[in-house]
Amino acid sequence: MYAIVEIAGQQFKVSKDLKVYVNRLSNEEGSKVSFDKVLLLDDNGAITLGAPAIEGASVEAKVLQHLKGDKVIIFKKKRRKGYKKRNGHRQYLTQIVIEGITGVGAKKATPKKAAAEATTEEVEAPKKKASKAKKEDTQE
């Protein structure tokens, strides 16, 4: 089972017990955090897509530590002009471990079944009217 979830503006493919480095979160180390913006959910081949997110699905994670990433060097140069600029930075990151992925709850599925039954009745009603109209045309 895996999910594609949006965390701090970036999308990650996550599964249970996976360690992920994300942009710095405001939660403390050791605290639990839940992400509700699940875009795709795969449960052993049964894929559920969100539009844009799946209602009722969430990903639970635990914050392991806050740290800084590797240094990134930005070097700018214009040839034959004597222009050189060197800059760099280290990104602030948070390491999290995914503890569980919960799918759509049973409460959300119940109204969909009722809506599906209503649509079948609406589809059958015009068919009955059309068949009555055909019978009247053939009798005339």
Side-chain angles (χ1 to χ4, degrees):
M1 177 179 216
Y2 72 89
I4 295 179
V5 64
E6 186 173 324
I7 302 171
Q10 294 181 324
Q11 297 177 5
F12 295 93
K13 180 181 176 182
V14 296
S15 58
K16 189 169 172 30
D17 299 328
L18 182 71
K19 291 182 181 178
V20 182
Y21 291 100
V22 299
N23 285 336
R24 181 68 60 104
L25 300 175
S26 60
N27 302 68
E28 295 179 13
E29 292 183 6
S31 66
K32 295 186 188 267
V33 62
S34 178
F35 304 106
D36 295 331
K37 196 156 189 181
V38 179
L39 307 174
L40 182 137
L41 190 63
D42 183 9
D43 189 11
N44 298 326
I47 296 175
T48 306
L49 284 173
I54 301 170
E55 293 182 23
S58 66
V59 174
E60 285 79 30
K62 181 180 179 182
V63 176
L64 294 180
Q65 63 177 337
H66 297 294
L67 58 132
K68 290 172 81 173
D70 295 334
K71 188 161 197 158
V72 178
I73 304 295
I74 296 98
F75 185 75
K76 299 178 182 180
K77 178 183 177 185
K78 295 188 180 179
R79 64 185 193 160
R80 298 188 299 270
K81 304 295 180 198
Y83 173 80
K84 293 181 190 176
K85 201 69 155 171
R86 183 179 181 272
N87 202 348
H89 76 283
R90 293 181 68 186
Q91 191 70 33
Y92 291 103
L93 300 174
T94 299
Q95 184 182 21
I96 61 172
V97 62
I98 307 300
E99 293 186 335
I101 301 171
T102 57
V104 180
K107 294 179 183 178
K108 300 283 183 181
T110 311
K112 289 182 182 178
K113 290 180 183 177
E117 292 172 3
T119 56
T120 55
E121 292 172 3
E122 293 171 2
V123 171
E124 292 173 2
K127 289 180 183 177
K128 291 178 183 178
K129 290 179 183 177
S131 62
K132 288 181 183 179
K134 287 182 182 178
K135 288 180 184 178
E136 292 174 1
D137 290 339
T138 56
Q139 291 176 355
E140 292 176 357

